[in-house]
């Protein structure tokens, strides 16, 4: 080739490296943009604990029931703060003992009675309703625990302390029974219609009375604060 005329047939070093660099840039993955959060956001812990799950898993129901029992024991600790010592353990075990008694004795008995009358209610649904009721009771009692501790510790009368403690137990227990009966009625209405619900209304009402009596009996036997107030 003539002198002074550059040879364009062979690329220079920089030009030869340019396609490789461009190829590497094209091969490199582009940064992934963060996904936007859902418009509705995520449900809170309380809403997730009380939410109805379908299908309901045994592990989830047992976990939900255990959380309810644990929260109820916080209310027991608050009641035991008046006397302290061993009373803390007695009350922490006594308050959730009523929840366990109603779930272990009352609900199976109700399920057997409904089965005798050919009610369309299977054990998994009854267990799910029981777990939600226990969680609701635990949430109420756990939320009332700080106020209960303040009242029972500062109260100058054993009777007043016992009445305030029993009031919190009544609120949590009634709400739990309400949640349980509401879920059972919804299951009966969905599977058997309104006629089926009317037929088994007496059994549900009887169970409510039995659950209240059983819970009161357990609390009276296990909670020293009630006996100290001569209730």
């Amino acid at each position: 080739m003539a002198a002074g005329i550059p040879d364009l047939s062979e690329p220079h070093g920089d030009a030869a490296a340019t396609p490789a660099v461009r190829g590497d840039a094209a091969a490199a993955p582009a940064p992934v943009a963060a996904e936007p959060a859902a418009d509705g956001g995520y449900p809170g812990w309380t809403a997730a604990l009380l939410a109805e799950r379908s299908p309901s898993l045994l592990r989830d129901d047992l976990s939900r029931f255990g959380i309810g029992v644990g929260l109820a024991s916080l209310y027991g600790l608050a009641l035991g703060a008046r006397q302290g010592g061993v009373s803390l353990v007695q009350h922490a075990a006594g308050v959730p003992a009523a929840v366990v008694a109603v779930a272990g004795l009352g609900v199976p008995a109700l399920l057997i009675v409904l089965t005798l009358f050919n009610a369309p209610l299977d054990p998994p649904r009854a267990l799910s309703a029981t777990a939600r009721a226990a969680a609701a009771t635990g949430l109420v009692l756990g939320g009332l625990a700080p106020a209960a501790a303040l009242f029972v510790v500062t109260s100058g009368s054993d009777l007043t302390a016992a009445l305030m403690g029993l009031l919190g137990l009544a609120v949590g227990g009634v709400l739990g029974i309400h949640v349980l009966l509401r879920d059972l009625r919804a299951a009966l209405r969905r599977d058997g219609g309104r006629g089926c619900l009317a037929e088994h209304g007496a059994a549900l009402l009887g169970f409510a009375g039995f659950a209240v009596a059983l819970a009161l009996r357990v609390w009276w036997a296990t909670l020293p604060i009630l006996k100290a107030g001569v209730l």
Side-chain angles (χ1 to χ4, degrees), residues 133-187:
T137 299
L139 285 172
V140 173
L141 294 179
L144 293 176
L150 177 63
F151 275 109
V152 301
V153 170
T154 60
S155 177
S157 170
D158 290 339
L159 178 59
T160 302
L163 286 175
M164 296 307 301
L166 185 60
L167 178 61
L169 293 173
V171 173
V174 168
L175 181 60
I177 294 175
H178 169 72
V179 172
L180 177 60
L181 295 182
R182 182 193 62 189
D183 288 356
L184 294 179
R185 284 197 302 265

Side-chain angles (χ1 to χ4, degrees), residues 83-115:
Q83 299 172 346
V86 181
S87 179
L88 290 170
V89 180
Q90 291 176 329
H91 288 84
V95 171
V99 179
V100 176
V102 172
L105 299 176
V107 175
L110 174 64
L111 187 61
I112 292 173
V113 171
L114 293 177
T115 303

Side-chain angles (χ1 to χ4, degrees), residues 16 69 72 96 105 164 191 194 223:
V69 169
L105 299 176
M164 296 307 301
D191 295 340
R194 294 187 177 274
L223 301 181

Side-chain angles (χ1 to χ4, degrees), residues 52-93:
E52 184 175 2
R53 301 168 185 174
S54 181
S56 180
L57 301 178
L58 177 61
R59 180 184 59 186
D60 295 338
D61 290 335
L62 293 179
S63 175
R64 183 183 295 185
F65 184 85
I67 292 174
V69 169
L71 291 174
S73 67
L74 295 179
Y75 190 82
L77 289 175
L79 297 183
R82 181 173 180 82
Q83 299 172 346
V86 181
S87 179
L88 290 170
V89 180
Q90 291 176 329
H91 288 84

